[in-house]
Amino acid sequence: MTLEQIQKKLAEFYKGIAIELIEGVKHPVTQAQTGDSCLVVPADKIKDICKTLKTIEQFSFDCLSNLTAVDRKDRFEVVYHLFSYKHRHSLTLKAVLPRDDSAHIETVEGVWSCANWLEREVYDLFGIKFDNHSDLRRIMLPDDWIGHPLRKDYKEEEDYHGISTTRPPLLS
Amino acid sequence: MQKLADLLIQKIPALQPVPVDFVYLGVQVVFALVMLMAFVAPFAGIVSWVERRIAARMMDRVGPNRVGPQGFFQWIADGIKSILKEDIIPTAADPILFRLAPYLVFAGMFAAFVTIPFSSGLIIADLNVGIFYLIAVTSIVVVGILMAGWASNNKYSLLGGMRSAAQIVSYEIPAGLAILVVVFLTGSLSIQDIIKGQGAYPWQWYLFDNPFMPVAFLSLFISSLAEGNRTPFDIPEAESELVSGYSTEYSGMRFVFFYFEEWANLYLIAAVGTALFLGGWQIPPEVKTWASALGGVVGFTLPHALEFATFFLKSAVIVFIIIWIRWTLPRIRVDQLMSLCWKYLTPFGFAASLGVAVWMVVFPQGVMSVRYALCAGAATIVLYFFYRVAYQVWYSRQPIHVNPFV
Amino acid sequence: MELNTEEMLLNMGPQHPSTHGVIRFVVKTDGEVMSAAVPDIGYLHRSIEKIAEKATYNGFMPWTDRVDYLAAMNCNVAYAMAVEKIAGIEISRRAEYLRVIAMELNRIISHLLAVGSLGMDIGAYTPFVHALREREKANDLIEELCGQRLTYNYARIGGVIYDMTPNWDAKVLAFLEQFEPLLNEFDRLLTDAKILKKRLGGVGVVTAEEAINYNLVGPNLRGSGVKWDLRKDMPYSVYPELDFEVPVGTGEAGVLGDCFDRYNVRMKEMRESVKILRQCFERIPAGEYQVKVPKKIRPPAGDVYVRTESTRGDLGVYLVSDGSDKACRVKFRCGSFNAMSIVEKISRGMMVADLIAFIASLDIVAPEIDR
């Protein structure tokens, strides 16, 4: 199914919900489409939409290929890359969240089990909370780390347990 | 030993007022020390060098070849290095048991060497319960290993120690059953008697006596591998799982004691197999009469030397096979190991002993044609094996048709 | 009388001879049988993705090697493909072929190490050394191509950095000619060993639905019976022109989806790589190996998600560009990350020895997990 068909079919299921299709970026000279197109869905409906996408026969997105987030200075975007082994089509979903510490979105762990660790990584590095997640804690950084490194305004603490994070310049 | 002691009492008048038993005891202790220092210790060291060279050649490497000719003194260098190391004992380790464990392991292994014959006259103590004493005393090693695992205050060591205890104790049964089969044929538990019941030629060995003996030999071989903690049964010291099992916390000479026991145990396994199944030190009687007829000191020592050479050669072949198996096969898991012992080897051992008992009742003198047939079968297998080795060597040296150096 | 037994909390710590890299497992065991093995990752987190936001597109290439140092070529090429896709750069055919040759040689190298260390973890020390011996020969070949033995930094945005040295193809073909019979020897030594089949058969079974649900990729997925290979099913680069098969696990040592299947798939994949390499050398065209690209690449602002079949499965690179000469976000989606997430579920009720075999058969490389 092409992206427009997916958008139309989803709109049938979710009447009244704004599902935008954003075209991928075009090359400035050749005008060929070089970026990926995606669907932007509202953040509060993400779990329902994902469940629909997995269970409905024509979609059959049985694989969550990637779950990540992007910090766009004025907003967070949570990006889901879905893939279907059955029909061999892929889909990019985006959900936009306000860029502050209270950003939260429903977990899709119940739909695809691999979302468990991927969402923990997003929480660890961005600070986006996932509601109803079974085990939301930091995964890569130590549990007592302060801050979320992949944010654009992240500043490191002065030291961690007494180990300084800066080093005097080598050339003085 | 007794004859030698009597000879000494005759020759040295200073010993005559001493009670005879003390002289015997003194002679035995001296020979035990000589054997330990001149045979067991160098053997354990040399077999460590041999194992490293064989393992290296199997892995397409070279092995130690720097210290001395062909690296022969590597084990001496290792021994000296280990003695010079700092003696580290973990603070939370049990102070007495931690220190005692290597000595127990060593003592258990060495006490068994007392009954190993080197030739018809060279044996420190020809006990009339020889083989039974041997099995019993090697079980002290279990206590030592358990002590080492517990006293190290380390969960990995504890796991290793417990696995090893379960393994060694379980495999005593098939080993004992296989030895029982040989005792049936001999009628005596003394090792010299067992060897004297065999002859020099392969069809006179116990291995080819009746069709159940190869089964017993295989069972004894596998059980001895398991008792000696050798691959494929080396889970107690499985490097990739438990770092080093029960000997993780040991360093320096204490660590070396555990591996000393393992290498010296190789000879013990081989010696028991040789003595029980492969004819021990027996040389053809014509050769023996010719050697003794040479007269003088040579006539006295040459037969013993030839017998020792025969025994050692047969044991060396078995040691080589054990080393070879270690570097070829993966290791089996604990529950598979237990099921191998209890579900396969023990029933085979019982079947073998029943079979041999029935055979001895039906054919009291044995059947020579069966012996010749079994010998011929074994010879065919050995020849086929060497043929396969030659084929593989030829196959792996195929020429390459693309010349990269044009 | 009830015996009061406690469960032992064992720490297969960051330093361990057989966890592949610096990972930690907290294992609750009752004797030999585990009730849970919880992985604890993050010891190798070097924040490569944050560094991507500070380095230019060209300058980030050496960092991609370190994402998975055993399959460094695949990581290089995946990143280069992502940037080339969004910037609309087409590279020459010769560069494509050179990249594929390097990637397949890298696949052989990586699988040799995976298979060898699986053997070593099971206790067979000799096949490991034999595999490393072959790996040394292949490493020498790669060193002649790009100057490095482990972290290649070979691909560039717009092609590759060096062309083949004269006669390099003859050397690689000579290596392949003596490598295939050695694979047979390796098979006889390790794959056909009864003890190996008993250790790996029926252990760590991952069914096909679980594999897809947890997004296992690469040989892990194929070992569970799912016939999916990005090089055949969503081909990129010059793979549509190459003829090779995709081995799938068959459950011959026990259950479909056990450790032996994954191991067997890797052994067979090495043979397929040999086939691919031979075809590439026949078909490689003459031409230039690098296209002219601006010194500071400024792709249009957008995002792109590119997937390539790395040795550990599908390596996805999600690249977000905001129009400047530095990326806004680069995310590497690696196969080992998801393979680690399935360990906790499958390891319930296993033995400690089986856990080692399971982790080794998943071919986990720690830097891929933490980046």
Side-chain angles (χ1 to χ4, degrees):
Chain A
M1 289 173 80
T2 66
L3 199 56
E4 287 83 17
Q5 289 173 324
I6 296 178
Q7 183 196 22
K8 239 198 304 202
K9 193 124 185 93
L10 258 186
E12 287 172 29
F13 282 98
Y14 293 95
K15 300 189 190 347
I17 309 289
I19 301 181
E20 279 183 72
L21 189 151
I22 301 195
E23 286 283 329
V25 72
K26 292 198 171 26
H27 191 270
V29 172
T30 64
Q31 289 302 312
Q33 181 179 346
T34 53
D36 285 349
S37 318
C38 64
L39 289 181
V40 179
V41 295
D44 48 352
K45 285 276 177 297
I46 189 75
K47 173 141 189 220
D48 282 330
I49 294 181
C50 286
K51 214 174 172 94
T52 315
L53 286 169
K54 181 172 179 189
T55 45
I56 301 296
E57 165 61 29
Q58 285 118 321
F59 296 134
S60 295
F61 284 107
D62 46 10
C63 169
L64 174 68
S65 187
N66 186 17
L67 197 169
T68 183
V70 187
D71 180 1
R72 297 256 200 205
K73 303 227 176 76
D74 55 344
R75 60 190 195 277
F76 278 137
E77 281 176 4
V78 182
V79 183
Y80 300 76
H81 288 103
L82 308 176
F83 184 70
S84 166
Y85 282 108
K86 208 164 175 195
H87 299 298
R88 312 246 174 127
H89 50 214
S90 49
L91 172 66
T92 311
L93 280 182
K94 284 196 194 173
V96 176
L97 296 174
R99 198 201 177 290
D100 53 24
D101 279 331
S102 74
H104 69 112
I105 189 173
E106 179 104 25
T107 178
V108 294
E109 188 188 350
V111 186
W112 300 285
S113 314
C114 57
N116 186 339
W117 271 37
L118 287 164
E119 285 173 355
R120 274 178 70 186
E121 184 187 349
V122 170
Y123 167 67
D124 188 10
L125 297 172
F126 283 95
I128 300 174
K129 298 199 183 35
F130 288 86
D131 307 324
N132 304 328
H133 193 273
S134 63
D135 183 24
L136 194 68
R137 55 191 166 95
R138 287 188 183 263
I139 189 168
M140 299 210 246
L141 296 171
D143 285 327
D144 53 358
W145 193 265
I146 304 174
H148 296 279
L150 273 182
R151 292 191 180 183
K152 296 285 185 188
D153 58 350
Y154 172 68
K155 254 200 94 51
E156 273 184 285
E157 301 290 311
E158 285 292 312
D159 66 5
Y160 176 70
H161 284 288
I163 310 170
S164 145
T165 56
T166 55
R167 159 171 97 169
L170 296 169
L171 307 165
S172 49
Chain B
M1 280 295 128
Q2 212 165 356
K3 283 193 283 186
L4 195 62
D6 290 333
L7 203 67
L8 273 178
I9 295 181
Q10 262 184 327
K11 294 288 175 67
I12 305 179
L15 285 175
Q16 285 180 353
V18 179
V20 133
D21 286 326
F22 280 130
V23 177
Y24 287 166
L25 179 65
V27 165
Q28 277 191 325
V29 167
V30 164
F31 272 103
L33 282 176
V34 164
M35 186 190 69
L36 173 64
M37 288 199 287
F39 184 72
V40 175
F43 183 85
I46 294 176
V47 93
S48 80
W49 168 75
V50 164
E51 172 163 20
R52 284 167 75 171
R53 290 300 299 240
I54 294 178
R57 293 311 305 162
M58 285 183 186
M59 292 183 181
D60 210 4
R61 300 182 285 125
V62 182
N65 65 345
R66 299 277 178 217
V67 189
Q70 294 295 321
F72 183 72
F73 297 131
Q74 180 73 42
W75 57 279
I76 300 182
D78 284 338
I80 296 177
K81 172 203 77 167
S82 309
I83 297 180
L84 293 175
K85 275 200 175 180
E86 177 189 350
D87 184 17
I88 302 177
I89 300 190
T91 325
D94 191 314
I96 306 174
L97 293 181
F98 191 84
R99 290 174 167 87
L100 188 57
Y103 305 141
L104 263 186
V105 157
F106 182 72
M109 177 272 306
F110 181 59
F113 268 92
V114 170
T115 53
I116 296 288
F118 293 99
S119 79
S120 51
L122 280 178
I123 180 171
I124 297 183
D126 186 13
L127 304 173
N128 54 355
V129 291
I131 195 72
F132 185 60
Y133 162 84
L134 201 144
I135 314 175
V137 115
T138 46
S139 306
I140 298 182
V141 169
V142 181
V143 180
I145 293 181
L146 261 179
M147 258 197 217
W150 173 261
S152 300
N153 194 33
N154 178 348
K155 284 175 195 160
Y156 284 116
S157 305
L158 185 63
L159 258 183
M162 290 197 304
R163 279 173 167 180
S164 175
Q167 176 182 323
I168 297 184
V169 166
S170 304
Y171 275 91
E172 299 271 354
I173 313 274
L177 281 173
I179 295 178
L180 186 69
V181 166
V182 170
V183 170
F184 281 169
L185 282 178
T186 315
S188 153
L189 283 172
S190 153
I191 298 191
Q192 293 285 47
D193 284 347
I194 294 176
I195 298 183
K196 285 182 188 141
Q198 304 176 62
Y201 301 109
W203 50 88
Q204 295 168 328
W205 294 345
Y206 279 154
L207 178 58
F208 301 118
D209 193 74
N210 61 62
F212 299 98
M213 297 308 279
V215 172
F217 178 62
L218 206 61
S219 174
L220 176 66
F221 185 66
I222 297 177
S223 315
S224 305
L225 275 184
E227 292 209 34
N229 285 341
R230 298 284 297 184
T231 322
F233 306 109
D234 67 344
I235 28 170
E237 39 184 68
E239 268 169 21
S240 26
E241 293 169 34
L242 301 176
V243 187
S244 189
Y246 55 84
S247 51
T248 314
E249 295 289 339
Y250 285 86
S251 61
M253 204 60 197
R254 296 182 206 281
F255 182 72
V256 170
F257 267 123
F258 285 113
Y259 283 91
F260 193 91
E261 180 264 336
E262 184 175 319
W263 290 317
N265 209 2
L266 288 185
Y267 188 75
L268 207 58
I269 301 171
V272 167
T274 314
L276 265 55
F277 286 94
L278 294 184
W281 41 252
Q282 291 275 16
I283 51 176
E286 299 87 13
V287 174
K288 189 157 183 175
T289 40
W290 164 81
S292 341
L294 288 177
V297 180
V298 175
F300 186 63
T301 54
L302 189 58
H304 287 272
L306 284 175
E307 286 174 345
F308 174 62
T310 320
F311 192 88
F312 190 75
L313 216 65
K314 292 177 190 169
S315 307
V317 167
I318 299 187
V319 167
F320 174 73
I321 295 180
I322 298 177
I323 295 179
W324 183 13
I325 291 181
R326 175 181 187 182
W327 297 103
T328 314
L329 296 179
R331 76 174 68 91
I332 69 180
R333 216 173 51 203
V334 145
D335 63 328
Q336 291 166 347
L337 182 141
M338 287 295 143
S339 87
L340 176 72
C341 170
W342 293 106
K343 291 195 211 164
Y344 295 99
L345 285 183
T346 311
F348 277 135
F350 278 124
S353 41
L354 192 63
V356 167
V358 168
W359 186 274
M360 285 176 67
V361 166
V362 174
F363 305 112
Q365 307 292 25
V367 180
M368 274 322 278
S369 53
V370 167
R371 293 195 182 116
Y372 288 138
L374 283 173
C375 267
T380 323
I381 293 177
V382 169
L383 282 174
Y384 179 68
F385 166 75
F386 280 115
Y387 161 73
R388 286 291 302 181
V389 167
Y391 170 76
Q392 297 299 345
V393 170
W394 167 84
Y395 178 82
S396 66
R397 291 206 179 136
Q398 301 279 357
I400 306 175
H401 297 289
V402 180
N403 184 357
F405 301 111
V406 292
Chain C
M1 183 175 74
E2 263 296 318
L3 266 183
N4 187 18
T5 55
E6 273 180 17
E7 278 190 338
M8 192 161 72
L9 200 69
L10 201 61
N11 188 24
M12 278 182 66
Q15 294 152 316
H16 190 95
S18 66
T19 54
H20 294 244
V22 192
I23 346 173
R24 175 173 165 237
F25 290 94
V26 180
V27 172
K28 276 214 191 77
T29 104
D30 179 23
E32 281 284 327
V33 177
M34 300 190 299
S35 54
V38 179
D40 178 16
I41 62 174
Y43 289 90
L44 273 176
H45 181 64
R46 296 148 293 169
S47 54
I48 288 186
E49 296 174 355
K50 182 94 180 163
I51 290 171
E53 298 166 15
K54 294 205 175 4
T56 57
Y57 286 101
N58 265 330
F60 184 62
M61 193 57 85
W63 291 95
T64 61
D65 287 321
R66 274 85 179 159
V67 167
D68 176 5
Y69 49 69
L70 289 177
M73 202 67 80
N74 299 65
C75 300
N76 284 351
V77 168
Y79 176 72
M81 275 170 62
V83 178
E84 284 158 10
K85 181 163 181 208
I86 194 170
I89 302 173
E90 288 255 350
I91 64 173
S92 67
R93 301 275 302 158
R94 187 173 173 87
E96 297 268 23
Y97 269 101
L98 281 171
R99 281 181 177 179
V100 167
I101 288 172
M103 285 204 287
E104 293 302 322
L105 205 54
N106 201 359
R107 195 179 303 265
I108 292 180
I109 291 177
S110 174
H111 279 329
L112 275 174
L113 187 65
V115 162
S117 48
L118 174 76
M120 193 167 73
D121 288 343
I122 303 292
Y125 305 105
T126 314
F128 177 65
V129 186
H130 289 172
L132 284 191
R133 176 195 66 203
E134 297 309 311
R135 203 166 165 254
E136 282 300 304
K137 299 176 193 163
N139 271 343
D140 284 343
L141 289 170
I142 297 238
E143 188 183 0
E144 188 171 335
L145 178 71
C146 65
Q148 289 271 10
R149 283 158 52 95
L150 190 69
T151 52
Y152 307 133
N153 195 17
Y154 183 55
R156 291 284 179 274
I157 319 277
V160 294
I161 183 163
Y162 299 117
D163 200 351
M164 289 198 297
T165 51
N167 227 12
W168 187 72
D169 46 354
K171 291 187 186 156
V172 178
L173 288 171
F175 163 71
L176 293 177
E177 190 165 341
Q178 59 96 52
F179 176 63
E180 271 203 285
L182 286 172
L183 267 184
N184 293 339
E185 185 182 299
F186 199 88
D187 258 341
R188 272 202 316 274
L189 185 58
L190 196 57
T191 314
D192 295 337
K194 265 241 143 38
I195 298 184
L196 190 87
K197 290 203 163 119
K198 279 186 93 85
R199 274 304 290 273
L200 297 181
V203 168
V205 174
V206 180
T207 58
E209 296 89 55
E210 269 176 356
I212 295 180
N213 210 5
Y214 277 89
N215 198 19
L216 289 183
V217 287
N220 299 336
L221 184 64
R222 294 196 273 283
S224 294
V226 179
K227 193 170 172 118
W228 176 261
D229 187 333
L230 275 178
R231 295 173 290 169
K232 271 261 186 248
D233 297 307
M234 281 170 55
Y236 51 95
S237 186
V238 296
Y239 284 111
E241 306 167 16
L242 300 173
D243 172 37
F244 59 99
E245 318 222 325
V246 173
V248 181
T250 51
E252 54 186 82
V255 187
L256 178 67
D258 59 13
C259 295
F260 185 78
D261 279 335
R262 294 188 276 274
Y263 159 80
N264 216 6
V265 162
R266 290 199 177 92
M267 288 298 294
K268 291 186 187 147
E269 267 186 18
M270 279 199 268
R271 295 179 200 269
E272 301 301 322
S273 290
V274 170
K275 259 197 243 172
I276 296 177
L277 276 171
R278 288 205 174 114
Q279 288 170 40
C280 283
F281 279 117
E282 281 167 25
R283 309 167 75 109
I284 184 168
E288 55 177 25
Y289 54 93
Q290 232 181 12
V291 186
K292 267 246 169 280
V293 289
K295 246 205 155 73
K296 287 210 172 193
I297 303 178
R298 278 172 215 273
D303 56 0
V304 71
Y305 182 56
V306 164
R307 300 160 68 179
T308 59
E309 181 81 11
S310 159
T311 60
R312 257 151 220 95
D314 149 10
L315 180 76
V317 176
Y318 176 59
L319 183 68
V320 177
S321 143
D322 56 4
S324 69
D325 61 341
K326 299 188 167 57
C328 174
R329 171 96 170 97
V330 173
K331 154 100 179 167
F332 289 93
R333 193 215 66 85
C334 310
S336 301
F337 189 75
N338 297 21
M340 277 305 266
S341 64
I342 204 176
V343 166
E344 180 173 1
K345 173 162 187 258
I346 305 281
S347 68
R348 295 190 197 133
M350 261 193 195
M351 295 203 192
V352 178
D354 285 340
L355 177 70
I356 311 277
F358 181 54
I359 297 172
S361 77
L362 285 176
D363 195 11
I364 291 176
V365 170
E368 242 195 355
I369 305 176
D370 304 331
R371 278 157 275 125

